[in-house]
């Protein structure tokens, strides 16, 4: 089944403890991206990647890192999480000129 | 630099058509209009997209004005399960354009379908 898989679905952590949210797609998509969603603010793009080893900042990249070493994976890294990064995160992927496919989301709480 | 403008909320009676507007007055020639919806906190789901012609699929119809500055998503017979947040975005057609990678979703329109 074609899908975008995010892990974990839920994560509670403490301030400053490095974490990684994984995103994997099985559709051979070149494009992948990360979003965060907060009440009243809609979906905001964090980072995107046009292809392997090609990444760029979205609208809210501060406090996040990404890597794209393989086509199928696009992990989101929080080196030193803070409470203001508590949010619902979505990963998405697409072929060129095609609709985005979204994962089911990761709800992160930083205490 | 928001690229689309949508009303924050709309209501619709079950069984009637829901017409959701989107303004994209700065759209450029190779940018498509895409519509997605999000039910509760699930991942957004693709609905339909178009460039300049009207489009229809099993979920909805998309009407794009001739000048391409606005569009309307039509759910012909809304059901309670269509209650969701609807997002309209514009996206360039190829990786060479600036609007292909960096995407702005905005807050969308909360559509409430009532019995």
């Amino acid at each position: 089944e074609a899908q975008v898989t995010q892990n974990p679905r839920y994560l509670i952590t403490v301030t400053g403890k490095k974490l990684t949210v994984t995103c994997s797609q099985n559709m051979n998509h070149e494009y992948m991206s990360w979003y965060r969603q907060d009440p009243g603010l809609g979906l905001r793009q964090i980072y995107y990647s046009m292809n392997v080893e090609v990444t760029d900042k979205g609208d809210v990249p501060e406090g996040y890192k990404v890597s794209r070493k393989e086509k199928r994976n696009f992990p989101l890294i929080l080196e030193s999480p803070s409470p203001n990064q508590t949010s619902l995160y979505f990963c998405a992927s697409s072929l060129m000129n095609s609709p985005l496919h979204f994962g089911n989301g990761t709800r992160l709480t930083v205490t | 630099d928001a690229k689309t403008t949508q009303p924050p909320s709309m209501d619709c009676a079950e069984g009637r058509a829901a017409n959701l507007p989107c303004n994209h007055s700065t759209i450029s020639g190779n940018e498509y209009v895409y519509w997605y919806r999000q039910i509760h906190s699930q991942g957004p789901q693709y609905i339909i997209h178009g460039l300049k012609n009207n489009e229809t699929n099993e979920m909805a119809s998309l009407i794009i004005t001739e000048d391409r500055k606005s569009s309307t998503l039509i759910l012909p017979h809304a059901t309670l399960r269509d209650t969701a947040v609807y997002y309209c975005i514009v996206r360039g057609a190829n990786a060479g354009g600036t609007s292909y990678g960096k995407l702005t979703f905005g807050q969308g329109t909360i559509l409430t379908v009532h019995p």
Side-chain angles (χ1 to χ4, degrees), chain A residues 31 37 40 45 94 96 100, chain B residues 36 38 87 91 100-101 107:
Chain A
Y31 178 89
Q37 186 171 38
Q45 191 182 55
S94 77
M96 189 176 297
L100 293 167
Chain B
Y36 296 83
Q38 184 179 26
Y87 296 98
R91 188 182 193 195
Y100 176 78
Q107 297 184 46

Side-chain angles (χ1 to χ4, degrees), chain A residues 5-59:
Chain A
T5 303
Q6 294 180 228
N7 280 298
R9 291 293 308 278
Y10 301 92
L11 179 59
I12 301 173
T13 189
V14 296
T15 299
K17 186 176 181 181
K18 181 179 178 181
L19 66 91
T20 299
V21 184
T22 64
C23 175
S24 180
Q25 50 90 8
N26 61 359
M27 297 168 280
N28 202 34
H29 287 172
E30 298 93 1
Y31 178 89
M32 298 185 76
S33 55
W34 276 102
Y35 304 84
R36 63 176 289 173
Q37 186 171 38
D38 304 289
L41 295 178
L43 284 161
R44 293 182 293 167
Q45 191 182 55
I46 304 171
Y47 268 95
Y48 63 94
S49 170
M50 300 287 228
N51 214 322
V52 176
E53 302 291 2
V54 181
T55 63
D56 211 340
K57 296 177 181 179
D59 287 325

Side-chain angles (χ1 to χ4, degrees), chain B residues 27-93:
Chain B
I27 195 170
S28 59
N30 74 340
E31 288 182 324
Y32 282 74
V33 180
Y34 282 82
W35 283 84
Y36 296 83
R37 74 178 182 185
Q38 184 179 26
I39 298 173
H40 297 301
S41 296
Q42 299 174 20
Q45 173 193 24
Y46 165 76
I47 303 172
I48 198 167
H49 73 288
L51 184 63
K52 60 176 90 171
N53 297 322
N54 298 338
E55 301 287 345
T56 295
N57 62 21
E58 65 278 3
M59 290 181 70
S61 294
L62 174 61
I63 308 297
I64 302 174
T65 58
E66 193 168 341
D67 62 8
R68 302 186 68 236
K69 292 185 177 182
S70 65
S71 61
T72 301
L73 176 74
I74 300 172
L75 307 177
H77 306 287
T79 71
L80 299 178
R81 286 176 293 182
D82 292 322
T83 292
V85 180
Y86 288 77
Y87 296 98
C88 163
I89 69 166
V90 295
R91 188 182 193 195

